[in-house]
Structure formats: structure tokens, C-alpha cells
Short mmCIF file of all heavy atoms in Angstrom, two decimals:
data_model
loop_
_atom_site.label_atom_id
_atom_site.label_comp_id
_atom_site.label_asym_id
_atom_site.label_seq_id
_atom_site.Cartn_x
_atom_site.Cartn_y
_atom_site.Cartn_z
N MET A 1 72.75 113.00 106.08
CA MET A 1 73.64 112.68 107.17
C MET A 1 74.77 113.70 107.26
O MET A 1 75.08 114.18 108.33
CB MET A 1 74.19 111.26 106.96
CG MET A 1 75.09 110.78 108.04
SD MET A 1 74.12 110.35 109.47
CE MET A 1 75.35 109.65 110.49
N CYS A 2 75.39 114.01 106.12
CA CYS A 2 76.48 114.98 106.13
C CYS A 2 75.98 116.37 106.49
O CYS A 2 76.68 117.12 107.17
CB CYS A 2 77.19 115.00 104.78
SG CYS A 2 78.10 113.48 104.45
N GLU A 3 74.78 116.70 106.02
CA GLU A 3 74.22 118.01 106.34
C GLU A 3 73.96 118.13 107.84
O GLU A 3 74.20 119.17 108.44
CB GLU A 3 72.95 118.24 105.55
CG GLU A 3 73.18 118.36 104.06
CD GLU A 3 71.87 118.41 103.29
OE1 GLU A 3 70.80 118.48 103.91
OE2 GLU A 3 71.94 118.36 102.05
N GLU A 4 73.49 117.03 108.44
CA GLU A 4 73.24 117.04 109.89
C GLU A 4 74.54 117.21 110.65
O GLU A 4 74.61 117.96 111.62
CB GLU A 4 72.55 115.76 110.31
CG GLU A 4 71.14 115.61 109.79
CD GLU A 4 70.55 114.25 110.14
OE1 GLU A 4 71.11 113.56 111.01
OE2 GLU A 4 69.54 113.88 109.54
N ALA A 5 75.58 116.51 110.21
CA ALA A 5 76.87 116.61 110.88
C ALA A 5 77.44 118.02 110.75
O ALA A 5 78.01 118.55 111.70
CB ALA A 5 77.85 115.59 110.30
N ALA A 6 77.27 118.62 109.60
CA ALA A 6 77.77 119.98 109.39
C ALA A 6 77.01 120.97 110.27
O ALA A 6 77.60 121.88 110.85
CB ALA A 6 77.66 120.37 107.92
N SER A 7 75.69 120.78 110.38
CA SER A 7 74.92 121.70 111.21
C SER A 7 75.24 121.51 112.69
O SER A 7 75.27 122.47 113.44
CB SER A 7 73.42 121.52 110.96
OG SER A 7 73.01 120.23 111.39
N ILE A 8 75.49 120.27 113.10
CA ILE A 8 75.87 120.01 114.50
C ILE A 8 77.22 120.64 114.79
O ILE A 8 77.43 121.27 115.82
CB ILE A 8 75.87 118.51 114.79
CG1 ILE A 8 74.45 117.96 114.80
CG2 ILE A 8 76.55 118.22 116.12
CD1 ILE A 8 74.37 116.45 114.91
N ALA A 9 78.16 120.48 113.85
CA ALA A 9 79.49 121.05 114.05
C ALA A 9 79.43 122.57 114.04
O ALA A 9 80.15 123.23 114.79
CB ALA A 9 80.44 120.55 112.96
N ALA A 10 78.57 123.13 113.20
CA ALA A 10 78.45 124.59 113.13
C ALA A 10 77.84 125.13 114.42
O ALA A 10 78.23 126.19 114.90
CB ALA A 10 77.60 124.99 111.93
N ALA A 11 76.90 124.39 114.98
CA ALA A 11 76.27 124.83 116.22
C ALA A 11 77.12 124.51 117.43
O ALA A 11 76.85 124.96 118.53
CB ALA A 11 74.90 124.18 116.35
N ASN A 12 78.16 123.69 117.24
CA ASN A 12 79.09 123.29 118.30
C ASN A 12 78.38 122.53 119.42
O ASN A 12 78.71 122.67 120.58
CB ASN A 12 79.86 124.49 118.84
CG ASN A 12 81.15 124.04 119.52
OD1 ASN A 12 81.58 122.91 119.36
ND2 ASN A 12 81.76 124.94 120.26
N THR A 13 77.37 121.76 119.04
CA THR A 13 76.70 120.92 120.01
C THR A 13 76.98 119.47 119.67
O THR A 13 77.03 119.09 118.50
CB THR A 13 75.18 121.15 119.99
OG1 THR A 13 74.69 120.92 118.68
CG2 THR A 13 74.84 122.56 120.42
N PHE A 14 77.14 118.67 120.66
CA PHE A 14 77.41 117.24 120.50
C PHE A 14 78.65 116.97 119.64
O PHE A 14 78.71 116.02 118.89
CB PHE A 14 76.21 116.49 119.89
CG PHE A 14 74.94 116.67 120.65
CD1 PHE A 14 73.90 117.41 120.13
CD2 PHE A 14 74.80 116.10 121.90
CE1 PHE A 14 72.73 117.58 120.84
CE2 PHE A 14 73.62 116.26 122.61
CZ PHE A 14 72.59 117.00 122.08
N SER A 15 79.63 117.84 119.70
CA SER A 15 80.83 117.67 118.88
C SER A 15 81.67 116.48 119.36
O SER A 15 82.50 115.98 118.61
CB SER A 15 81.68 118.94 118.89
OG SER A 15 82.12 119.22 120.20
N SER A 16 81.44 116.02 120.57
CA SER A 16 82.20 114.86 121.05
C SER A 16 81.73 113.57 120.41
O SER A 16 82.43 112.57 120.44
CB SER A 16 82.10 114.75 122.58
OG SER A 16 80.75 114.52 122.94
N THR A 17 80.53 113.58 119.80
CA THR A 17 80.03 112.37 119.16
C THR A 17 80.51 112.23 117.73
O THR A 17 80.34 111.18 117.13
CB THR A 17 78.50 112.35 119.17
OG1 THR A 17 78.02 113.48 118.47
CG2 THR A 17 77.97 112.33 120.58
N LEU A 18 81.09 113.28 117.14
CA LEU A 18 81.58 113.22 115.77
C LEU A 18 83.03 112.73 115.78
O LEU A 18 83.83 113.14 116.60
CB LEU A 18 81.51 114.59 115.10
CG LEU A 18 80.12 115.17 114.93
CD1 LEU A 18 80.21 116.56 114.34
CD2 LEU A 18 79.28 114.28 114.04
N TYR A 19 83.35 111.86 114.84
CA TYR A 19 84.69 111.32 114.74
C TYR A 19 85.49 112.15 113.75
O TYR A 19 85.06 112.40 112.63
CB TYR A 19 84.65 109.86 114.27
CG TYR A 19 83.93 108.97 115.25
CD1 TYR A 19 82.65 108.49 114.98
CD2 TYR A 19 84.52 108.61 116.45
CE1 TYR A 19 81.98 107.68 115.88
CE2 TYR A 19 83.87 107.80 117.36
CZ TYR A 19 82.61 107.34 117.07
OH TYR A 19 81.95 106.54 117.96
N SER A 20 86.66 112.55 114.17
CA SER A 20 87.49 113.37 113.29
C SER A 20 88.59 112.56 112.61
O SER A 20 89.21 113.04 111.68
CB SER A 20 88.13 114.51 114.09
OG SER A 20 88.97 113.98 115.10
N GLU A 21 88.81 111.33 113.07
CA GLU A 21 89.86 110.49 112.49
C GLU A 21 89.21 109.27 111.84
O GLU A 21 88.31 108.66 112.40
CB GLU A 21 90.82 110.03 113.59
CG GLU A 21 92.09 109.41 113.08
CD GLU A 21 93.07 109.14 114.20
OE1 GLU A 21 92.80 109.51 115.35
OE2 GLU A 21 94.10 108.53 113.90
N GLY A 22 89.69 108.92 110.65
CA GLY A 22 89.09 107.82 109.90
C GLY A 22 89.53 106.45 110.38
O GLY A 22 90.50 106.31 111.14
N CYS A 23 88.82 105.43 109.93
CA CYS A 23 89.12 104.05 110.32
C CYS A 23 90.45 103.58 109.75
O CYS A 23 91.19 102.86 110.42
CB CYS A 23 88.02 103.11 109.83
SG CYS A 23 86.43 103.39 110.60
N LEU A 24 90.74 103.97 108.53
CA LEU A 24 91.97 103.51 107.87
C LEU A 24 93.20 103.96 108.64
O LEU A 24 94.13 103.17 108.86
CB LEU A 24 92.03 104.00 106.43
CG LEU A 24 93.23 103.55 105.62
CD1 LEU A 24 93.25 102.03 105.52
CD2 LEU A 24 93.21 104.17 104.25
N SER A 25 93.22 105.19 109.09
CA SER A 25 94.39 105.67 109.83
C SER A 25 94.50 104.98 111.19
O SER A 25 95.61 104.69 111.64
CB SER A 25 94.33 107.19 110.00
OG SER A 25 93.19 107.57 110.74
N LYS A 26 93.37 104.71 111.83
CA LYS A 26 93.40 103.99 113.11
C LYS A 26 93.94 102.58 112.94
O LYS A 26 94.77 102.11 113.71
CB LYS A 26 92.00 103.92 113.73
CG LYS A 26 91.49 105.20 114.25
CD LYS A 26 91.71 105.24 115.71
CE LYS A 26 91.00 106.46 116.27
NZ LYS A 26 91.35 106.69 117.63
N ILE A 27 93.46 101.86 111.91
CA ILE A 27 93.90 100.49 111.66
C ILE A 27 95.37 100.48 111.29
O ILE A 27 96.14 99.63 111.76
CB ILE A 27 93.04 99.84 110.55
CG1 ILE A 27 91.62 99.62 111.08
CG2 ILE A 27 93.65 98.53 110.09
CD1 ILE A 27 90.64 99.17 110.03
N THR A 28 95.80 101.43 110.46
CA THR A 28 97.21 101.52 110.07
C THR A 28 98.09 101.75 111.29
O THR A 28 99.15 101.13 111.42
CB THR A 28 97.40 102.65 109.05
OG1 THR A 28 96.52 102.45 107.95
CG2 THR A 28 98.82 102.68 108.54
N ASP A 29 97.67 102.63 112.19
CA ASP A 29 98.44 102.88 113.41
C ASP A 29 98.54 101.63 114.28
O ASP A 29 99.61 101.32 114.82
CB ASP A 29 97.82 104.02 114.21
CG ASP A 29 97.97 105.37 113.53
OD1 ASP A 29 98.84 105.49 112.63
OD2 ASP A 29 97.22 106.29 113.89
N LYS A 30 97.44 100.91 114.43
CA LYS A 30 97.44 99.68 115.23
C LYS A 30 98.38 98.64 114.64
O LYS A 30 99.13 97.97 115.35
CB LYS A 30 96.03 99.09 115.35
CG LYS A 30 95.08 99.88 116.17
CD LYS A 30 95.22 99.51 117.61
CE LYS A 30 94.11 100.22 118.38
NZ LYS A 30 94.20 99.95 119.78
N ILE A 31 98.32 98.47 113.31
CA ILE A 31 99.18 97.48 112.65
C ILE A 31 100.64 97.87 112.79
O ILE A 31 101.48 97.03 113.09
CB ILE A 31 98.77 97.31 111.17
CG1 ILE A 31 97.43 96.60 111.10
CG2 ILE A 31 99.82 96.54 110.39
CD1 ILE A 31 96.86 96.51 109.70
N GLU A 32 100.95 99.14 112.60
CA GLU A 32 102.34 99.59 112.74
C GLU A 32 102.84 99.42 114.17
O GLU A 32 104.00 99.09 114.39
CB GLU A 32 102.47 101.05 112.30
CG GLU A 32 102.38 101.23 110.81
CD GLU A 32 102.40 102.69 110.41
OE1 GLU A 32 102.41 103.57 111.30
OE2 GLU A 32 102.41 102.96 109.19
N LYS A 33 101.97 99.64 115.13
CA LYS A 33 102.36 99.52 116.53
C LYS A 33 102.63 98.06 116.91
O LYS A 33 103.51 97.78 117.71
CB LYS A 33 101.26 100.09 117.43
CG LYS A 33 101.66 100.19 118.89
CD LYS A 33 100.51 100.71 119.75
CE LYS A 33 100.21 102.14 119.40
NZ LYS A 33 99.18 102.74 120.28
N HIS A 34 101.89 97.12 116.33
CA HIS A 34 102.00 95.71 116.69
C HIS A 34 102.57 94.86 115.56
O HIS A 34 102.31 93.66 115.51
CB HIS A 34 100.63 95.17 117.09
CG HIS A 34 100.02 95.90 118.25
ND1 HIS A 34 100.51 95.79 119.52
CD2 HIS A 34 98.97 96.76 118.32
CE1 HIS A 34 99.78 96.55 120.33
NE2 HIS A 34 98.85 97.15 119.62
N LEU A 35 103.36 95.46 114.69
CA LEU A 35 103.87 94.77 113.51
C LEU A 35 104.76 93.60 113.89
O LEU A 35 104.66 92.51 113.31
CB LEU A 35 104.62 95.74 112.60
CG LEU A 35 105.07 95.20 111.26
CD1 LEU A 35 103.85 94.76 110.45
CD2 LEU A 35 105.85 96.24 110.49
N PHE A 36 105.64 93.77 114.87
CA PHE A 36 106.53 92.69 115.28
C PHE A 36 105.75 91.49 115.79
O PHE A 36 106.04 90.35 115.44
CB PHE A 36 107.51 93.19 116.36
CG PHE A 36 108.47 92.14 116.81
CD1 PHE A 36 109.53 91.76 116.01
CD2 PHE A 36 108.32 91.53 118.05
CE1 PHE A 36 110.41 90.78 116.42
CE2 PHE A 36 109.20 90.56 118.47
CZ PHE A 36 110.26 90.18 117.66
N THR A 37 104.73 91.72 116.60
CA THR A 37 103.91 90.64 117.14
C THR A 37 103.17 89.92 116.02
O THR A 37 103.08 88.68 116.03
CB THR A 37 102.90 91.21 118.15
OG1 THR A 37 103.59 91.95 119.14
CG2 THR A 37 102.10 90.10 118.80
N ILE A 38 102.67 90.65 115.05
CA ILE A 38 101.96 90.04 113.93
C ILE A 38 102.89 89.17 113.11
O ILE A 38 102.54 88.04 112.72
CB ILE A 38 101.30 91.13 113.05
CG1 ILE A 38 100.20 91.84 113.84
CG2 ILE A 38 100.76 90.56 111.76
CD1 ILE A 38 99.68 93.09 113.18
N ILE A 39 104.11 89.66 112.86
CA ILE A 39 105.09 88.88 112.08
C ILE A 39 105.49 87.62 112.83
O ILE A 39 105.56 86.53 112.24
CB ILE A 39 106.31 89.75 111.74
CG1 ILE A 39 105.92 90.81 110.72
CG2 ILE A 39 107.46 88.91 111.20
CD1 ILE A 39 107.00 91.84 110.44
N VAL A 40 105.77 87.73 114.11
CA VAL A 40 106.16 86.56 114.92
C VAL A 40 105.03 85.53 114.96
O VAL A 40 105.28 84.32 114.82
CB VAL A 40 106.58 86.99 116.34
CG1 VAL A 40 106.72 85.81 117.26
CG2 VAL A 40 107.88 87.77 116.29
N ALA A 41 103.81 85.98 115.11
CA ALA A 41 102.67 85.06 115.12
C ALA A 41 102.52 84.36 113.77
O ALA A 41 102.29 83.14 113.72
CB ALA A 41 101.39 85.81 115.47
N GLY A 42 102.69 85.08 112.69
CA GLY A 42 102.58 84.48 111.36
C GLY A 42 103.66 83.45 111.10
O GLY A 42 103.39 82.36 110.57
N ILE A 43 104.89 83.78 111.47
CA ILE A 43 105.99 82.83 111.29
C ILE A 43 105.80 81.60 112.17
O ILE A 43 106.05 80.47 111.74
CB ILE A 43 107.34 83.52 111.56
CG1 ILE A 43 107.63 84.54 110.46
CG2 ILE A 43 108.48 82.52 111.66
CD1 ILE A 43 108.84 85.41 110.70
N SER A 44 105.34 81.80 113.40
CA SER A 44 105.10 80.67 114.30
C SER A 44 104.04 79.73 113.75
O SER A 44 104.21 78.50 113.78
CB SER A 44 104.66 81.17 115.68
OG SER A 44 105.65 81.99 116.24
N ILE A 45 102.97 80.29 113.23
CA ILE A 45 101.91 79.45 112.65
C ILE A 45 102.43 78.70 111.43
O ILE A 45 102.12 77.52 111.24
CB ILE A 45 100.68 80.32 112.31
CG1 ILE A 45 100.02 80.79 113.60
CG2 ILE A 45 99.69 79.56 111.44
CD1 ILE A 45 98.93 81.82 113.40
N ALA A 46 103.25 79.36 110.60
CA ALA A 46 103.81 78.70 109.43
C ALA A 46 104.72 77.54 109.83
O ALA A 46 104.68 76.47 109.22
CB ALA A 46 104.58 79.71 108.58
N VAL A 47 105.54 77.73 110.85
CA VAL A 47 106.44 76.66 111.31
C VAL A 47 105.64 75.49 111.86
O VAL A 47 105.95 74.32 111.57
CB VAL A 47 107.44 77.21 112.36
CG1 VAL A 47 108.18 76.10 113.07
CG2 VAL A 47 108.42 78.17 111.70
N ILE A 48 104.60 75.77 112.62
CA ILE A 48 103.76 74.69 113.15
C ILE A 48 103.09 73.93 112.01
O ILE A 48 103.01 72.69 112.05
CB ILE A 48 102.72 75.27 114.14
CG1 ILE A 48 103.42 75.75 115.41
CG2 ILE A 48 101.65 74.24 114.47
CD1 ILE A 48 102.54 76.56 116.34
N GLN A 49 102.64 74.64 110.99
CA GLN A 49 102.02 73.99 109.84
C GLN A 49 103.02 73.08 109.11
O GLN A 49 102.67 71.97 108.70
CB GLN A 49 101.48 75.04 108.86
CG GLN A 49 100.28 75.78 109.37
CD GLN A 49 99.03 74.93 109.35
OE1 GLN A 49 98.84 74.08 108.49
NE2 GLN A 49 98.16 75.15 110.32
N ILE A 50 104.25 73.54 108.96
CA ILE A 50 105.27 72.74 108.28
C ILE A 50 105.59 71.49 109.10
O ILE A 50 105.71 70.39 108.53
CB ILE A 50 106.53 73.59 108.02
CG1 ILE A 50 106.22 74.64 106.94
CG2 ILE A 50 107.71 72.72 107.59
CD1 ILE A 50 107.29 75.69 106.77
N PHE A 51 105.74 71.63 110.41
CA PHE A 51 105.97 70.45 111.26
C PHE A 51 104.81 69.47 111.17
O PHE A 51 105.01 68.25 111.10
CB PHE A 51 106.19 70.85 112.72
CG PHE A 51 107.60 71.28 113.03
CD1 PHE A 51 107.83 72.46 113.71
CD2 PHE A 51 108.69 70.51 112.64
CE1 PHE A 51 109.11 72.87 114.00
CE2 PHE A 51 109.98 70.92 112.92
CZ PHE A 51 110.19 72.11 113.60
N GLY A 52 103.60 69.96 111.16
CA GLY A 52 102.44 69.09 111.03
C GLY A 52 102.43 68.35 109.71
O GLY A 52 102.11 67.15 109.66
N PHE A 53 102.80 69.02 108.64
CA PHE A 53 102.88 68.39 107.34
C PHE A 53 103.94 67.29 107.31
O PHE A 53 103.69 66.18 106.83
CB PHE A 53 103.18 69.45 106.27
CG PHE A 53 103.29 68.91 104.88
CD1 PHE A 53 102.18 68.43 104.22
CD2 PHE A 53 104.51 68.87 104.24
CE1 PHE A 53 102.28 67.93 102.93
CE2 PHE A 53 104.62 68.38 102.96
CZ PHE A 53 103.51 67.90 102.30
N VAL A 54 105.11 67.59 107.86
CA VAL A 54 106.19 66.60 107.88
C VAL A 54 105.79 65.39 108.72
O VAL A 54 105.99 64.24 108.31
CB VAL A 54 107.50 67.24 108.39
CG1 VAL A 54 108.56 66.19 108.67
CG2 VAL A 54 108.02 68.25 107.39
N PHE A 55 105.23 65.63 109.90
CA PHE A 55 104.84 64.51 110.76
C PHE A 55 103.72 63.68 110.14
O PHE A 55 103.67 62.46 110.31
CB PHE A 55 104.44 65.01 112.15
CG PHE A 55 105.61 65.50 112.95
CD1 PHE A 55 105.49 66.64 113.73
CD2 PHE A 55 106.83 64.84 112.94
CE1 PHE A 55 106.56 67.11 114.48
CE2 PHE A 55 107.90 65.29 113.68
CZ PHE A 55 107.77 66.43 114.44
N SER A 56 102.81 64.32 109.42
CA SER A 56 101.75 63.56 108.76
C SER A 56 102.32 62.69 107.64
O SER A 56 101.86 61.56 107.44
CB SER A 56 100.67 64.48 108.22
OG SER A 56 101.16 65.25 107.14
N LEU A 57 103.32 63.17 106.92
CA LEU A 57 103.97 62.35 105.90
C LEU A 57 104.70 61.17 106.53
O LEU A 57 104.66 60.05 106.00
CB LEU A 57 104.93 63.19 105.05
CG LEU A 57 104.29 64.13 104.05
CD1 LEU A 57 105.35 64.96 103.36
CD2 LEU A 57 103.47 63.38 103.04
N VAL A 58 105.37 61.42 107.64
CA VAL A 58 106.07 60.33 108.34
C VAL A 58 105.07 59.29 108.82
O VAL A 58 105.29 58.08 108.67
CB VAL A 58 106.91 60.89 109.52
CG1 VAL A 58 107.43 59.77 110.41
CG2 VAL A 58 108.06 61.73 108.99
N LEU A 59 103.96 59.73 109.37
CA LEU A 59 102.93 58.81 109.85
C LEU A 59 102.32 58.03 108.69
O LEU A 59 102.09 56.82 108.80
CB LEU A 59 101.84 59.57 110.60
CG LEU A 59 100.71 58.74 111.18
CD1 LEU A 59 101.25 57.80 112.25
CD2 LEU A 59 99.64 59.65 111.76
N CYS A 60 102.09 58.70 107.58
CA CYS A 60 101.53 58.03 106.41
C CYS A 60 102.48 56.94 105.90
O CYS A 60 102.04 55.84 105.57
CB CYS A 60 101.27 59.06 105.32
SG CYS A 60 100.58 58.37 103.81
N CYS A 61 103.76 57.25 105.85
CA CYS A 61 104.74 56.27 105.41
C CYS A 61 104.84 55.10 106.39
O CYS A 61 105.00 53.94 105.98
CB CYS A 61 106.10 56.91 105.24
SG CYS A 61 106.19 58.05 103.85
N ALA A 62 104.74 55.37 107.69
CA ALA A 62 104.85 54.31 108.70
C ALA A 62 103.63 53.41 108.65
O ALA A 62 103.76 52.20 108.83
CB ALA A 62 105.00 54.94 110.08
N VAL A 63 102.46 53.92 108.42
CA VAL A 63 101.25 53.13 108.42
C VAL A 63 101.13 52.32 107.15
O VAL A 63 100.75 51.14 107.18
CB VAL A 63 100.01 54.06 108.61
CG1 VAL A 63 98.73 53.30 108.37
CG2 VAL A 63 100.02 54.65 110.00
N SER A 64 101.43 52.91 106.01
CA SER A 64 101.24 52.20 104.75
C SER A 64 102.33 51.17 104.48
O SER A 64 102.11 50.22 103.75
CB SER A 64 101.19 53.20 103.59
OG SER A 64 102.47 53.79 103.40
N GLY A 65 103.49 51.34 105.05
CA GLY A 65 104.59 50.38 104.85
C GLY A 65 105.35 50.59 103.57
O GLY A 65 106.28 49.87 103.27
N ARG A 66 104.95 51.57 102.78
CA ARG A 66 105.67 51.87 101.55
C ARG A 66 106.56 53.07 101.76
O ARG A 66 106.27 53.95 102.56
CB ARG A 66 104.70 52.19 100.41
CG ARG A 66 103.91 50.98 99.96
CD ARG A 66 103.12 51.32 98.75
NE ARG A 66 101.86 51.96 99.19
CZ ARG A 66 100.98 52.50 98.37
NH1 ARG A 66 101.20 52.51 97.08
NH2 ARG A 66 99.89 53.03 98.83
N ASP A 67 107.63 53.13 101.00
CA ASP A 67 108.51 54.29 101.03
C ASP A 67 108.13 55.25 99.91
O ASP A 67 107.99 54.84 98.77
CB ASP A 67 109.98 53.89 100.85
CG ASP A 67 110.49 53.10 102.07
OD1 ASP A 67 109.95 53.33 103.16
OD2 ASP A 67 111.41 52.29 101.89
N TYR A 68 107.96 56.48 100.25
CA TYR A 68 107.59 57.48 99.25
C TYR A 68 108.79 58.29 98.87
O TYR A 68 109.57 58.74 99.55
CB TYR A 68 106.49 58.40 99.79
CG TYR A 68 105.15 57.74 99.84
CD1 TYR A 68 104.67 57.20 101.00
CD2 TYR A 68 104.38 57.66 98.69
CE1 TYR A 68 103.43 56.60 101.04
CE2 TYR A 68 103.15 57.05 98.73
CZ TYR A 68 102.68 56.52 99.90
OH TYR A 68 101.44 55.93 99.94
#
């Protein structure tokens, strides 16, 4: 595979099909570009989970009739 890519690049044919940038750098750039949105989404999900936990405890206490 690498030999084929080298020969294609040497012949300068189909060079538009070869990728010159790796996946890791692309993913890192995307994460850095959308970091604020990712953080806000994570915090929002955490807050919703905490509210759900609190409300489930309140409901459990109301249904069972015991104080925890």
C-alpha cells in the first residue's frame, strides 16, 4: 500500500486522492474549535442528571412514606 502511494505521488497522478493530513490533527482541530459547545453540553447533561436524581429521591420518599 505504501509503495503504491509512493509511486502514485512520484508519478504525480491521482495526487488529489492521497491524504496529507492525519486523522488525529483533524479531530484535535475540531475539538479545539468546538470546545466551548462541548463543555456547555457536558455541564448541561450533568445538571439534568443531578436534578433527576434529586427528584427521584423526593418521589421515593413521598411514595414510601418514610423519611430518609
Side-chain angles (χ1 to χ4, degrees):
M1 182 76 173
C2 292
E3 293 173 7
E4 292 175 15
S7 65
I8 290 173
N12 202 14
T13 57
F14 304 110
S15 62
S16 64
T17 60
L18 297 176
Y19 297 106
S20 62
E21 192 173 356
C23 294
L24 182 61
S25 62
K26 289 262 189 190
I27 291 172
T28 305
D29 290 342
K30 290 275 187 182
I31 289 174
E32 287 176 356
K33 188 182 292 185
H34 301 290
L35 187 61
F36 181 74
T37 305
I38 294 169
I39 290 173
V40 169
I43 291 173
S44 300
I45 291 171
V47 168
I48 290 170
Q49 290 287 326
I50 290 170
F51 278 131
F53 179 70
V54 169
F55 289 139
S56 68
L57 286 176
V58 169
L59 181 64
C60 180
C61 290
V63 170
S64 69
R66 291 187 276 174
D67 292 332
Y68 286 99

